[in-house]
Amino acid sequence: MNLKKEQKKLSRKVYCSNNYYKQLLKIQRLHQKVANIRKDFLHKLSHELVSNYDIICFEDINLSNMKRCLHFGKSIS
């Protein structure tokens, strides 16, 4: 996207002028577009995982306690 260019243009505008607010509105639209693209990707990914697999498991691992273990602490760190 051209978000970088639009932000550069905003930085050159006079603060609190009408053109500043117009440019700010353009940047806000671009930020919203990027957020929607990311949200859409996450939605498609989660939908694909749920439709392809019957069971999805998450494991909460405490790595700091596993490092203290004598057998495989060195390999974890």
Side-chain angles (χ1 to χ4, degrees):
M1 305 249 176
N2 54 0
L3 183 62
K4 182 179 175 182
K5 264 196 274 188
E6 297 298 327
Q7 285 179 330
K8 192 72 169 176
K9 285 181 189 176
L10 178 70
S11 69
R12 294 182 177 140
K13 303 282 182 196
V14 176
Y15 184 68
C16 291
S17 64
N18 282 335
N19 287 330
Y20 179 86
Y21 287 123
K22 286 184 209 173
Q23 189 64 30
L24 189 63
L25 193 63
K26 283 183 187 178
I27 290 174
Q28 288 171 346
R29 283 190 196 118
L30 285 174
H31 275 293
Q32 188 67 41
K33 190 173 181 181
V34 169
N36 287 339
I37 288 170
R38 288 178 179 162
K39 197 184 299 182
D40 182 54
F41 170 74
L42 290 176
H43 179 70
K44 286 178 180 175
L45 180 66
S46 62
H47 183 266
E48 182 182 344
L49 289 174
V50 169
S51 60
N52 289 340
Y53 300 104
D54 294 334
I55 298 174
I56 300 173
C57 297
F58 293 98
E59 186 176 0
D60 186 22
I61 298 175
N62 192 350
L63 291 177
S64 60
N65 286 342
M66 288 180 74
K67 285 180 188 175
R68 295 181 195 151
C69 185
L70 294 175
H71 301 291
F72 50 86
K74 203 171 198 180
S75 62
I76 289 176
S77 52

